[in-house]
Every structure is written in structure tokens, then in C-alpha cells.
């Protein structure tokens, strides 16, 4: 009994004083931001083990997507200050003000990227996404030349071929094609595009699940499982993943298989006896790396694989999700779809596939893509940190100006959906209006690919394949929502909410959206 009290009393005292210390640091953090309006919660929004939105407990990882601009409007300012108690007292400034965002992305030294939050995409090796400073410059010097005009032309031509193959040999040129889930098709399309334009590896629709000798899983399945469940690598130790649930074990197998596929592709390209002139991303990356005269600047084998993995995920999953949302929105808004179709008729020769030379004339297709990205950006929050004491000066809708102190070490979160739905810059932000992107639009309030030096280097790649897919399919098919008896009588808003209900992996994606494609 005495021994128990000797252990218990110090433990209670330790917990008590630790709790007092944490609370005092929390209050100090609140005072440091002059009690600026925002969140005061137990946990931070980035806390992986509790991603839910519970008042007073956590804002939730997806709060900018779920609430859009609503919390900023309630506060009366386009910057919110969030302070959390656990795991340690931290300050995070969430921004939906384009002027402040421009200041942040334009000053990389003052506001560096929080690279630790991207640990999940470092699992195959260090890469351009997870580095900062001089190390990032080294990666970008080698990776950026992989994206070239010749590569974009390859992307376009292969996209047209892949979609045509889909229509002819999978849909069999049918008058009506019913799809239980649009994502199944968009994933298939973008996987094949990144396969050939990224790695010179053509995947035919009829070879969807072919497993090569020496492998246990197809390239398509391995890539899908790794990109879809990559968060396992952050949340769970490797031993648990390999011995855990069936999904965990399948992810572990997929991870090993994809690693093997990537290393084999690199090795085959390096040891090829005949060096063909190729313009896929892998060839361009290897050529740039091997052509680098400064040995210290070259990427290691692991870094080459790490960047290839980033190309894979960014070039396949994010675009597949964006295209799925685009088709859903076009089905929900038939008048907007008709405007798009009429613009295609006026731009493209009848019964001919669009060429890369016509890319810049397909402005309405680009407008549809941009409006989709405004509604569903691939990244919810762009994370930065403040390297020195500074301040933000901003003006609200009432014309009142305020200056917010931003202490060194504070987190900065650029809330992309909140800015995309900010009514100060977007007329009727909840509506789907591609035409808003045909003229002058608030470019500083549009950030689907980030901005500044850290902007996405694959932006043109994604735009090229997306415009080609949308133009090819909408010029030939009218897309509608598939009628299901269990949803008879639902209102437009109920239907919209059902089809656009989203889940989150590396990026958000529609949970289930059954669509019908009808021959024009």
C-alpha cells in the first residue's frame, strides 16, 4: 500500500503540473495572436489520429472543404487564428485572402513549406515535393526539364488514342453506356496516360489485369492500392501493416510490387542497348540526371524513384478525381454541358478527333476544368510555416483594416476551397459556371496548383490530358445522371449532395456517382 502511494502521488503531481504547463502555454499562444478570431481546440486539424470535426476538440482535416468560406464569413475576416492544446500548444493561421496568400507564396525564405506533413509521399525516396531550400532546388533542376513541349504533345496524342480505344473496344461504340461509378473510367483513362506519357509503358484496356512473370499483382492494381492507402505508412509501423488486416497486407504487397516495377523500369531504361528518342517523363528525368555535370547535384537511385512515384500519383490519381467531378457536374448542369458541346462543335471539325494544335482554341474545355478545380481543388490546405516574427495586414468587407501579429514558428495554412468560395472575389460561388473563366477572373484567388516557385510543375501535363479527355468524350456523348428507383423523387440539391459526396485519400474523390453516356 505504501509502495503504491509512493508511485501514485508523484505520478498524479506530474500529470497535474504537466496539464497546468500545457494550459499556460496554450493561453500564451492565444495572447500572442491578440486573441484573433478562429479555432480554439484540444487537437490540431493536422492530427492524423483524429480527423473528425468536433467543436472544441478538432476542426477536422477537411474543414476548409466542408465549410468553404463560412467560418471566415462568420469571423468577418479572411484570416483565422487556430490555437490547439495537444500534442503541444501550436498556432496556425488559416488564410483565404488572396493578397496575404500572394505575400506568403512569394516569400519562400520567410514562409518555407512544412515538409514533415508530406512524409507519406517520401516512402519511395526523397523527391521534389518533400524537400525545401537548396535540396529542393537540386531536385527541381533535374525534375523540371522532364515536363517539356514534346512531352505535352505526347500526352495529348496518347490521350486521344486511349479515349478512342475506350469508346471503340470497351464501350463497343454503343449508343448508351451505363457506368455504375464514373471514377472507374476516369482512373482507367489517367492510369493509361501516365503509363505511356510518364513511363513509355502502354497498358491496353484488354490487358487491364495482366500480371507479368515474376509479379503477384498487376501494375494498375499495385499503383491503385499504394496511392489509395499510402496513409498507412504514416499511421502504422511496417510490421503491423504486413501482419494486420487483409487491406493492410494487400497494401504491403502492392507497395513491394510497385517498388519492384519502378526499379525495373529505371534499370531497363538505363541498360537499353538502343537508346530511342523518347519524350516520356521517365526518359526525360533520367536524361536530365545523367546529363548533369555536377556529380553532387545528381539524384541518387532512391531520389529518382521518389520523384517517379510523385509523377505517378500526381499524374494519375489527382487528375482522375478531377475528371470524375467534371463529368458529374456536367451531368448535374445540362445547360452548362450544352454550352460546352456547342463550343466544341464550333471549334472542332466534324467527326475528327482534336489535335494538339487545337489545344489553345479549346477555351471552354479549359473553363470547365478550371471551374471543376475551383469547386474541388486537389489540395485543401497548402502548409507553410513562419520563419521569423512578422505580421499580416488585411482589410475586411466593411473596409476595416487590421494588422495581425504572426510569431516565428507559427503554422500557415492557405485554405484553397475557402478562397475559391470567397464571395468577395467569386460571384455566386456555389454555382457551377465555367463561363466565369472565359474572361477576366480573379487569378490571385484561384490556386488549384499552388503558386509561386513551389507551384505544381505538372500543371500543363494535367491540363493537357484533362482538356483532351473532356473534349473527346463530350463531343461524342451526352452525359446524364443514371436514374435509380431508390432515389426517385429526390430534389436537385439532394441529388447533387449524393453524387458529390466525397471521401479522402491523398486527394478528395467522389464516393459513388453512377452516370449514363448517350451517343450524340
Amino acid at each position: 500500500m505504501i509502495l503504491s502511494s509512493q508511485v501514485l502521488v508523484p505520478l498524479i503531481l506530474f500529470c497535474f503540473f504537466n496539464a497546468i504547463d500545457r494550459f499556460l502555454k496554450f493561453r500564451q499562444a492565444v495572447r500572442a495572436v491578440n486573441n484573433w478570431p478562429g479555432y480554439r481546440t484540444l487537437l490540431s486539424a493536422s492530427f492524423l489520429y483524429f480527423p473528425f470535426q468536433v467543436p472544441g476538440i478538432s476542426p477536422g482535416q477537411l474543414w476548409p472543404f466542408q465549410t468553404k468560406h463560412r467560418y471566415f464569413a462568420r469571423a468577418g475576416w479572411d484570416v483565422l487564428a487556430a490555437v490547439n492544446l495537444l500534442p503541444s500548444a501550436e498556432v496556425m493561421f488559416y488564410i483565404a485572402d488572396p493578397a496575404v496568400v500572394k505575400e506568403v507564396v512569394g516569400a519562400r525564405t520567410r514562409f518555407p513549406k512544412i515538409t514533415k506533413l508530406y512524409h507519406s509521399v517520401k516512402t519511395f525516396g526523397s523527391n521534389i515535393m518533400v524537400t525545401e531550400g537548396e535540396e529542393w532546388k537540386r531536385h527541381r533542376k533535374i525534375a523540371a526539364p522532364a515536363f517539356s513541349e514534346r512531352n505535352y504533345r505526347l500526352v495529348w496524342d496518347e490521350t486521344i488514342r486511349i479515349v478512342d480505344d475506350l469508346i471503340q473496344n470497351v464501350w463497343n461504340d454503343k449508343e448508351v453506356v451505363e457506368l455504375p461509378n464514373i471514377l472507374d473510367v476516369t482512373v482507367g483513362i489517367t492510369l493509361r496516360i501516365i503509363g505511356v506519357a510518364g513511363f513509355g509503358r502502354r497498358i491496353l484496356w484488354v490487358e487491364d489485369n495482366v500480371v507479368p512473370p515474376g509479379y503477384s499483382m498487376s501494375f494498375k492494381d499495385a499503383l491503385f492500392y499504394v496511392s489509395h492507402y499510402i496513409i498507412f505508412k504514416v499511421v502504422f509501423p511496417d510490421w503491423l501493416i504486413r501482419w494486420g488486416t487483409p487491406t493492410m497486407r494487400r497494401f504491403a504487397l502492392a507497395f513491394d510490387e510497385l517498388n519492384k516495377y519502378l526499379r525495373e523500369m529505371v534499370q531497363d531504361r538505363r541498360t537499353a542497348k538502343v537508346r530511342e528518342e523518347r519524350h516520356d517523363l521517365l526518359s526525360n528525368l533520367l536524361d536530365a540526371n545523367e546529363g548533369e555535370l555536377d556529380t553532387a547535384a545528381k539524384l541518387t537511385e532512391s531520389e529518382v524513384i521518389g520523384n517517379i512515384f510523385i509523377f505517378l500519383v500526381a499524374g494519375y490519381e489527382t487528375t482522375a478525381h478531377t475528371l470524375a467531378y467534371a463529368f458529374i457536374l456536367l451531368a448535374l448542369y445540362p445547360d452548362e454541358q450544352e454550352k460546352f458541346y456547342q463550343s466544341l462543335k464550333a471549334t472542332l471539325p466534324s467527326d475528327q478527333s482534336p489535335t494538339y494544335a487545337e489545344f489553345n482554341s479549346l477555351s471552354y474545355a479549359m473553363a470547365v476544368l478550371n471551374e471543376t478545380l475551383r469547386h474541388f481543388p486537389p489540395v485543401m490546405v497548402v502548409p507553410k510555416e513562419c520563419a521569423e516574427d512578422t505580421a499580416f495586414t488585411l482589410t475586411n468587407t466593411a473596409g476595416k483594416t487590421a494588422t495581425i501579429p504572426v510569431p516565428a514558428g507559427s503554422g500557415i495554412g492557405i485554405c484553397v476551397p475557402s478562397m475559391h468560395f470567397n464571395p468577395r472575389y467569386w460571384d455566386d460561388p456555389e454555382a457551377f459556371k465555367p463561363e466565369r473563366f472565359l474572361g477576366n477572373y480573379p487569378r490571385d484567388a484561384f490556386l488549384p496548383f499552388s503558386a509561386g516557385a513551389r507551384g505544381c510543375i505538372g500543371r500543363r501535363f494535367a491540363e493537357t490530358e484533362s482538356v483532351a479527355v473532356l473534349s473527346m468524350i463530350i463531343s461524342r456523348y451526352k452525359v446524364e445522371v443514371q436514374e435509380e428507383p431508390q432515389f426517385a423523387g429526390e430534389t436537385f440539391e439532394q441529388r447533387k449532395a449524393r453524387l458529390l459526396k466525397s471521401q479522402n485519400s491523398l486527394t478528395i474523390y467522389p464516393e459513388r456517382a453512377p452516370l449514363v453516356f448517350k451517343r450524340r
Side-chain angles (χ1 to χ4, degrees):
M1 186 69 178
I2 296 175
L3 183 62
S4 298
S5 61
Q6 288 176 339
V7 173
L8 191 59
V9 171
L11 181 61
I12 292 174
L13 288 174
F14 171 79
C15 292
F16 175 76
F17 286 112
N18 183 262
I20 293 295
D21 180 62
R22 288 177 181 272
F23 179 75
L24 291 175
K25 288 179 178 177
F26 173 81
R27 293 301 304 163
Q28 183 181 5
V30 173
R31 286 195 298 271
V33 298
N34 285 350
N35 204 29
W36 189 261
Y39 289 108
R40 306 293 183 264
T41 55
L42 181 67
L43 303 170
S44 72
S46 61
F47 189 67
L48 287 174
Y49 301 96
F50 194 87
F52 314 106
Q53 186 177 43
V54 179
I57 303 298
S58 172
Q61 291 179 4
L62 294 180
W63 75 265
F65 174 67
Q66 294 163 339
T67 64
K68 304 296 189 291
H69 188 258
R70 194 161 62 246
Y71 287 170
F72 292 93
R74 186 184 302 167
W77 298 94
D78 284 336
V79 173
L80 299 177
V83 184
N84 61 273
L85 180 64
L86 299 175
S88 61
E90 297 173 325
V91 176
M92 187 81 174
F93 290 92
Y94 290 107
I95 307 171
D97 185 307
V100 178
V101 168
K102 195 171 185 178
E103 177 185 352
V104 170
V105 299
R108 283 182 46 235
T109 303
R110 289 170 57 210
F111 302 104
K113 187 175 186 176
I114 305 179
T115 55
K116 65 182 181 181
L117 297 180
Y118 292 87
H119 180 74
S120 63
V121 292
K122 195 178 180 179
T123 51
F124 284 94
S126 183
N127 55 70
I128 191 172
M129 182 177 283
V130 301
T131 49
E132 187 53 280
E134 293 303 314
E135 188 68 6
W136 170 78
K137 290 180 182 178
R138 185 173 69 89
H139 277 270
R140 186 176 176 86
K141 183 180 180 182
I142 301 297
F147 297 89
S148 64
E149 191 64 23
R150 288 182 174 180
N151 178 251
Y152 302 143
R153 183 178 294 276
L154 174 65
V155 170
W156 184 276
D157 292 342
E158 290 297 331
T159 301
I160 299 300
R161 181 192 61 79
I162 288 164
V163 175
D164 189 60
D165 187 29
L166 168 70
I167 293 171
Q168 300 296 328
N169 299 316
V170 179
W171 292 357
N172 296 316
D173 220 8
K174 289 189 280 190
E175 291 295 314
V176 178
V177 179
E178 296 183 353
L179 302 177
N181 192 355
I182 182 59
L183 200 58
D184 294 338
V185 170
T186 58
V187 164
I189 291 173
T190 58
L191 174 63
R192 284 161 177 79
I193 295 169
I194 195 62
V196 64
F199 306 99
R201 186 189 188 98
R202 278 190 171 171
I203 307 172
L204 300 177
W205 289 95
V206 294
E207 297 175 349
D208 208 25
N209 290 304
V210 173
V211 179
Y215 288 87
S216 304
M217 188 179 287
S218 70
F219 178 75
K220 178 182 80 72
D221 288 344
L223 177 57
F224 172 81
Y225 262 88
V226 170
S227 61
H228 207 66
Y229 296 105
I230 193 67
I231 192 65
F232 284 176
K233 279 286 186 179
V234 180
V235 178
F236 305 114
D238 284 344
W239 65 266
L240 180 57
I241 294 173
R242 296 190 178 279
W243 296 96
T245 66
T247 301
M248 287 180 174
R249 296 197 299 272
R250 187 159 179 78
F251 167 79
L253 173 63
F255 186 89
D256 292 342
E257 293 284 280
L258 184 59
N259 189 37
K260 185 177 175 182
Y261 274 117
L262 296 180
R263 293 185 182 279
E264 185 180 82
M265 285 191 285
V266 171
Q267 188 62 24
D268 287 349
R269 199 65 55 88
R270 280 178 168 163
T271 58
K273 293 181 180 179
V274 179
R275 298 297 295 268
E276 302 175 38
E277 184 180 10
R278 311 170 72 139
H279 306 299
D280 57 81
L281 296 179
L282 173 58
S283 297
N284 290 349
L285 179 68
L286 292 177
D287 289 346
N289 199 42
E290 291 169 7
E292 175 57 53
L293 299 179
D294 183 357
T295 304
K298 286 188 175 184
L299 301 181
T300 65
E301 179 85 4
S302 174
E303 290 170 334
V304 168
I305 298 295
N307 280 289
I308 290 170
F309 175 67
I310 290 300
F311 292 170
L312 262 176
V313 173
Y316 131 74
E317 187 182 71
T318 56
T319 309
H321 296 170
T322 300
L323 285 171
Y325 283 120
F327 284 121
I328 296 168
L329 289 167
L330 289 170
L332 286 168
Y333 294 87
D335 291 345
E336 298 299 333
Q337 182 182 169
E338 182 62 21
K339 292 177 187 177
F340 180 22
Y341 173 62
Q342 291 302 327
S343 77
L344 291 172
K345 282 182 64 178
T347 305
L348 302 175
S350 59
D351 300 324
Q352 290 186 27
S353 297
T355 65
Y356 185 61
E358 294 164 319
F359 173 75
N360 290 328
S361 65
L362 295 168
S363 56
Y364 212 105
M366 182 65 79
V368 169
L369 173 63
N370 282 339
E371 180 68 341
T372 302
L373 288 168
R374 187 183 70 82
H375 280 263
F376 300 97
V379 177
M380 297 296 105
V381 176
V382 178
K384 304 277 187 177
E385 60 185 334
C386 188
E388 58 189 49
D389 288 338
T390 187
F392 293 145
T393 300
L394 61 155
T395 305
N396 66 9
T397 53
K400 184 179 179 182
T401 300
T403 299
I404 317 167
V406 182
S410 300
I412 307 291
I414 299 172
C415 294
V416 181
S418 306
M419 191 162 62
H420 284 185
F421 280 77
N422 191 332
R424 293 180 69 182
Y425 308 99
W426 302 99
D427 177 51
D428 194 10
E430 295 291 338
F432 178 67
K433 294 181 178 180
E435 285 176 308
R436 72 172 87 235
F437 284 96
L438 294 178
N440 293 325
Y441 64 92
R443 296 178 184 275
D444 290 341
F446 185 58
L447 213 72
F449 297 98
S450 192
R454 294 297 310 230
C456 176
I457 64 172
R459 176 173 188 162
R460 182 65 183 272
F461 188 108
E463 291 175 341
T464 301
E465 65 176 319
S466 298
V467 167
V469 170
L470 290 169
S471 300
M472 273 287 285
I473 292 181
I474 296 302
S475 65
R476 289 161 173 74
Y477 289 89
K478 181 179 182 180
V479 56
E480 299 177 354
V481 177
Q482 184 174 343
E483 298 296 338
E484 297 176 287
Q486 66 268 39
F487 301 114
E490 66 181 348
T491 65
F492 172 78
E493 290 301 326
Q494 289 172 333
R495 171 173 287 198
K496 179 180 176 182
R498 171 171 63 87
L499 293 174
L500 295 176
K501 184 180 179 182
S502 300
Q503 296 291 335
N504 186 47
S505 56
L506 283 177
T507 61
I508 56 169
Y509 62 92
E511 190 174 278
R512 188 186 83 92
L515 301 180
V516 179
F517 288 76
K518 296 181 179 180
R519 262 290 188 188
R520 294 190 184 274

